[in-house]
Amino acid sequence: MLIKSTYNEFIKIAAKPRSYLGLVAITVLVGVILFALKADGMSFISFVTASFEQTLSFEGNILNGNLVAFIVLQMLVIHIPLLVALVTGDLVSGEGAMGTIRMLAAKPISRSTLLMSKFFAGAVYTLLIVIWLGIMAVVVGKWMFGPGDLMVLNSDGLVILQDADINWRYVGGFAVAFLALLTVSSLSICLSCFSDNSIGPIVITMAIIILFTIIGTLDVTIFDNLRPYLFTTHMASWRSYFEDPLPVADINKSVIILLVHNVVLITIALIKFNKKDITS
Amino acid sequence: MNDKIIEVTHLAKRFGAFEAVRDVNFTVYKGDVFGFLGPNGAGKSTTIRCMLSLITPSNGEVKLFGKPLAAHRSEVLRKVGSIIEKPDFYKYLSAERNLELFSRVSGGPTSKKEIHKMLDYVGLKGRERDKVAGFSHGMKQRLGIAQTLIHDPELIVLDEPTTGLDPQGIIDIRNLILQLRTEHNKTVILSSHILSEIEIIANRMVIINKGNSIIEGEVANLLNEQELIANLEVDDVLHATTIITDHFPSAQVVSSKGQFLQVSTDRELVPQMVQALAAKNIKLYSLESKRKLEDYFIKMVKN
């Protein structure tokens, strides 16, 4: 029944116009960034390289596909959660608003199965968003700007990664980014179980992300103990794949914290959805 | 006829301080068309939702097909088709896609052939690929009936199935329900505000009021089918009243107003009454006989 219900959820997601909003938005946003970098990318890069030019000399294709993809990801990873929440925040509450939850919940499918099918469908949608972002940033970026070594400015300083050593880092980075976005998806599905209107969970999801991000960036000691456990702190962990040497322990810690968030949020959603009286 | 399809015992549901259902009890047997009556806010919809596990009861038990719903939910709901209040569908999907989706989770067929056959059965032939967003209320109601029947359930629960339908739509749904009982031996629970509808279709019924079931039984027995209310339009009401009271002591003149006379009587006496009035040169302009569910319902609810 889980497979059948998940298939149903795919059909619904595929038929909703708002599901394509994310793909269109990524295409337009990445397209604009790529166009801007193509037109005037060197002056943009010179802001970063200027401080090193007295001690280092840069040769070759600095503004290459790898750097462009990295810049795109830096710019967009904060905005992608909204595109994910737009679809996943509507998965349960949207059915409540339409009245179809009444029809579905009276069918011989358990509520847990119904919710898990929505979670899996939301996960696949999130994966598609991440894959499309990868195609637009890495594949199109490399096609437009060509290959080359990647210069990354970290808190520890400038890291230069060779072209041959980069693709696997993107795969790892996108995997962590997917896990971070999956947490956003789980959060919005969880909130969706508490509401019968589809706008509320989307707005609250974004409000939580903004609030946690502010807490994460505020240099105030009162939040020091809380900060490492906020999922937003680990949403940028994909960047760890572009450090040398690879901070394996930090990546593992981020992955575990994001996984725990997913498990907790889905458990809360399951408890709430199973106990919910459907009166709409 | 003695197989119990539904047993509801001491059902209660509380939303905070509000008691939507206090103590509802009734039994539905195989092959019944069971009328579910009650004024607005009586607890009909809450009871039906409890029967379909949409709402968890605060107290009492619902058994479907002899098994407790709480413990055998998926197993028993496989044999149930339902429309609750109004059928809602995914507006951005076509009729056939909607039906396919609901059939898939009901354990019904999902092939185009079967889906189209069902849509044809409910009168939606030619509209299979149209999006539900463009459907009228009547068309959605027909699609609702289709999703109720697609997995060939034994029990069909219809909550206000004729609300918002035009007269032809009401007749179609009524005929469909009768057909389900007579040709397919389905058990049907029908909740409706339209008392004449219940009177025509149902063989058994329960009346609930203020969250309590107040009476349950065979419609014929409860209404005493032999009795009816005859509305007579005559030229001389006083004379007609005298004739009726003199010649038909068992009949009771309920009211008289203008040229209208309302008489409660055995239906077998009506032809004789008409003959007696004609013999005394009373002009009878119209005769309308009304059965008594409406009166019965009002009496029970008031009591």
Side-chain angles (χ1 to χ4, degrees), chain B residues 75-146:
Chain B
E75 183 191 343
V76 295
L77 286 183
R78 226 175 279 277
K79 303 177 195 173
V80 181
S82 59
I83 301 180
I84 310 113
E85 287 184 12
K86 61 185 172 63
D88 285 305
F89 292 98
Y90 304 102
K91 296 182 179 77
Y92 49 86
L93 294 176
S94 67
E96 66 177 11
R97 200 54 123 172
N98 266 290
L99 196 51
E100 178 200 322
L101 255 61
F102 284 112
S103 183
R104 185 170 289 121
V105 288
S106 305
T110 51
S111 71
K112 279 255 188 309
K113 191 182 163 191
E114 294 289 329
I115 298 286
H116 283 207
K117 194 173 149 189
M118 182 50 73
L119 289 171
D120 190 12
Y121 181 68
V122 296
L124 287 175
K125 191 175 185 178
R127 306 301 298 264
E128 298 92 342
R129 290 191 171 84
D130 291 355
K131 285 191 176 171
V132 171
F135 276 22
S136 67
H137 180 74
M139 290 165 75
K140 281 185 200 164
Q141 202 70 291
R142 286 167 192 272
L143 187 56
I145 297 278

Side-chain angles (χ1 to χ4, degrees), chain A residues 155-167:
Chain A
S155 52
D156 297 337
L158 191 67
V159 178
I160 297 171
L161 302 167
Q162 291 190 335
D163 184 36
D165 187 37
I166 291 173
N167 284 343

